[in-house]
Amino acid sequence: MKTLSEESLLLPNPLREGLVEERIPEPAAMVIFGASGDLARRKLLPALYSLTRDRLLPARFAVLGFGRATLTDDAFREEMRRGCEEFARRRPVDPALWAAFARNVFYQQGAYDDPAAFLRLKVRLEEIEHTLGLPGNRVFYLSTPPSAFAPVIRSLGHANLAPKPAPGQPFSRVIIEKPFGIDLQTARALNTEVHDILAEQQIYRIDHYLGKETVQNLLVFRFANGIFEPLWNNHFVDHVQITGSETVGVEARGGYFEQAGSLRDMVQNHLLQVLSLAAMEPPVAFEADAVRDEKLKVLKALRFIPESDFEHQVVRAQYAAGSIGGQTVPGYRSEPDVSPRSTTETFVALKLFIDSWRWAGVPFYLRSGKRMPKRVTEIAIQFKEAPHLLFGKRGETIRPNVLSIRIQPDEGIALNFGSKLPGPAMEIAPVSMEFRYGSSFGVEPPEAYERLLLDCLLGDGTLFTRGDEVEASWSWVSRIHQRWAAEVAAGRTTLDSYPAGSWGPEAADRMLAADGRAWRLP
């Protein structure tokens, strides 16, 4: 006898007809490699549970965790339940619904480089599919250290767990977490190795930023509204700022961050992906390859920073000891697993140009940093000033119009413009029109992983990164790393410092001041 919660998964809802049903994927199994790790507990299982609660997953769906830890099915289920209780968007966890969901959650112990473990995985997966009546559709999620990406994919190929697509056959798809390589050479090598086993259409390189509601809304905002797209070019836009700031330090990831730095960790994937969506041309259709073709054109049009301008267009820095929220925090070099002589950047600011007709001459300023006053990711489009000042005193300036697109937190869009202050004098003050998801729609936006997992199950790669996109972004970023490496080899460095709790080093402010501009305070 089915419980009420189980039955509710199958009942039609007329309010969702034509909206939700067409987005429900085929029955499938998802295998999560690295299932005993933090990502599965904090993000993946909570996302799958929330999708189940929203009736967006098929009634026949299984999750098989694979990891090095020795766990029983019941122990794994209990650990994932605690994760859902703490992190799922749809809380508290419904006991009856969880019981129905957890019955199809399993665990298999094994090593990523052990062929015998993958043969056992294949047997277990086939048993689960047979028991639950699944047709053999599979998604493999690589929630593992980057060093395990290639071994896992090779083992999938040797065990014939992820055959290449064939007409009429079940699908096999692989989601790969970031970072996809650490430079152009390693990204190309990993692409080659992955393509030996999988077709490009099977590969879903995930960047959770692209699953955020406001990033997706950027395309709607630009291409579904006739009043904005005509202004989205160098005739009207003065410059663009993209900020990704964090209040946290490296936390327990000092060893990883020493090898990565902010340029690899944030700019190469997150911020360049956001930039490509903001700057791309209208695609011929809202389809995966059409959208990604236009993003690729932006990445290929990024002008390489000439040697003569490098110090004027690139700023890197490390946070020193400071205060955030009234609490004293140590400097980066005092963090665990960080070298006391580290030259790894925790802040980077860039001035770059896109060599296209649309954006010729428009500077794009990017910055990303840790231990900053506020956690925020936003795109700010600053429009040119009015050509002739009718109001105000001679020599007085009026703030230009700014369109800010907030990706996190408090997702939304705001437009700043000038308005007359009440009273007899002609005085102008900036005002803002704002749209926020929470207040406008009365619901909390879905988590990024919910959207991305659902899209993969549906075979929609629009919000995932294609292999040539990865290589194009690394091609641009790797030149900066090569310049920094040459500086270190020569015994000098341009590494600045900034106190924790500040908006970065003075050099970043000077970079914009030289152009007569200033960083926006989000």
Side-chain angles (χ1 to χ4, degrees), residues 479-491:
R479 292 195 176 208
I480 299 176
H481 280 130
Q482 290 165 6
R483 166 63 186 262
W484 286 346
E487 289 179 358
V488 173

Side-chain angles (χ1 to χ4, degrees), residues 504-516:
E506 292 181 1
D509 296 329
R510 291 195 298 269
M511 182 172 73
L512 268 69
D515 296 337

Side-chain angles (χ1 to χ4, degrees), residues 39-58:
L39 184 64
R41 187 180 73 88
R42 291 172 63 96
K43 296 293 185 181
L44 304 184
L45 267 295
L48 291 172
Y49 168 77
S50 295
L51 288 171
T52 300
R53 191 160 177 175
D54 287 343
R55 295 189 294 169
L56 291 171
L57 286 186

Side-chain angles (χ1 to χ4, degrees), residues 19 50 60 162 189 282 429 447 452 513:
L19 175 66
S50 295
R60 288 182 294 151
E447 291 285 341
L452 294 171

